[in-house]
Amino acid sequence: PDGGIVDDLYVDRSADHFMLVVNASNIAKDFVWLRESCPADVELSDRSDRTALLAIQGPRAAEVLRGHVPDEDLVMASNRFVEGPLFGVPAVIGRTGYTGEDGFELYFDGAQADQVWEGLMMAGRPAGLEPIGLGARDTLRLEMAYMLYGNDIDDTTSPIEAGLGWTVKPARGDFTGREALMRQKEQGTARRLVGLEAEGRRVPRHGMAVESGGREVGRVTSGAYSPSLER
């Protein structure tokens, strides 16, 4: 109601259900919020523990998957989802990602994760596919200015403060937090999330103070050395 952000997530709308892809650290919190907010006739099911997710990202992502998913899945538009086979396993395939690159996110039964992982690594060998961790993901998403929940945005941050005003659609009617966000749009905000560049190779870390003229004017929310920008 105060315009804060409960989470940032993907919503896959299928013919008879929605699939919500939330941040792993927010599963319990989000489920409670949904249960309290949804009408009584909405059925909610938490399938997090039974679902595996692998993201394949980069300019050759479609090349790696070709022949292992239906061809039409490889030409779908960005931010779209389809259901189909993946290395012989039923899956949800999304043209989505959190790196700023083209790519896909793959959702399937966790019990079949070994089969999909091994299939991906074998199919990707000619293209130089390699597994990466959260450190690499973090530099990529920072280069694209993608927000990380819990660092850059949280319950106390509004989309207007975070530069995410495009996610707010007042013309579509009422929604939770509308009044607070409209007030911020009209009156402005006392703080704003901005990008900054440090001198040298020292990395600004989460929580560090940003000072100007001996006065603290802000705090770092996320920082990393950018391999692409070399700064």
Side-chain angles (χ1 to χ4, degrees):
D2 62 0
I5 302 170
V6 176
D7 202 353
D8 63 320
L9 69 159
Y10 267 110
V11 180
D12 165 24
R13 182 179 65 183
S14 299
D16 59 352
H17 69 277
F18 294 89
M19 179 180 76
L20 276 60
V21 185
V22 306
N23 280 284
S25 60
N26 288 344
I27 292 170
K29 182 188 80 165
D30 289 356
F31 200 74
V32 169
W33 190 90
L34 286 163
R35 185 177 285 146
E36 292 174 350
S37 304
C38 285
D41 60 348
V42 173
E43 180 184 344
L44 294 169
S45 175
D46 180 5
R47 301 183 181 179
S48 306
D49 290 342
R50 306 198 303 273
T51 306
L53 161 60
L54 288 173
I56 174 168
Q57 302 285 290
R60 303 180 72 177
E63 175 187 333
V64 172
L65 290 177
R66 186 163 285 112
H68 304 287
V69 302
D71 286 346
E72 58 268 25
D73 294 356
L74 300 177
V75 295
M76 66 177 157
S78 178
N79 293 322
R80 294 291 183 269
F81 291 81
V82 294
E83 295 181 12
L86 169 71
F87 295 100
V89 170
V92 174
I93 301 166
R95 195 69 177 262
T96 56
Y98 203 58
T99 61
E101 293 277 5
D102 186 23
F104 299 84
E105 290 183 310
L106 314 169
Y107 308 85
F108 46 91
D109 189 326
Q112 296 168 309
D114 284 355
Q115 179 178 335
V116 175
W117 174 270
E118 290 167 5
L120 264 179
M121 297 310 293
M122 188 174 297
R125 197 171 294 153
L129 181 72
E130 293 184 9
I132 69 164
L134 292 178
R137 195 282 308 265
D138 210 37
T139 62
L140 290 165
R141 67 98 185 167
L142 269 172
E143 288 168 352
M144 280 297 290
Y146 286 162
M147 312 297 164
L148 179 63
Y149 194 88
N151 277 43
D152 310 307
I153 53 177
D154 56 28
D155 295 89
T156 69
T157 313
S158 82
I160 310 302
E161 293 173 325
L164 298 171
W166 59 271
T167 65
V168 179
K169 312 290 186 186
R172 295 193 180 181
D174 196 21
F175 55 85
T176 303
R178 185 182 191 279
E179 186 177 328
L181 294 173
M182 290 301 295
R183 190 163 56 247
Q184 286 188 0
K185 273 195 167 188
E186 294 164 2
Q187 300 175 5
T189 62
R191 59 179 188 166
R192 188 162 60 94
L193 190 66
V194 298
L196 58 92
E197 179 185 340
E199 295 181 349
R201 293 178 66 92
R202 188 182 180 199
V203 174
R205 296 298 184 188
H206 176 78
M208 281 184 172
V210 180
E211 296 183 352
S212 176
R215 183 174 66 91
E216 184 176 318
V217 295
R219 288 199 168 266
V220 176
T221 60
S222 291
Y225 179 77
S226 165
S228 300
L229 302 173
E230 296 185 339
R231 57 181 182 265

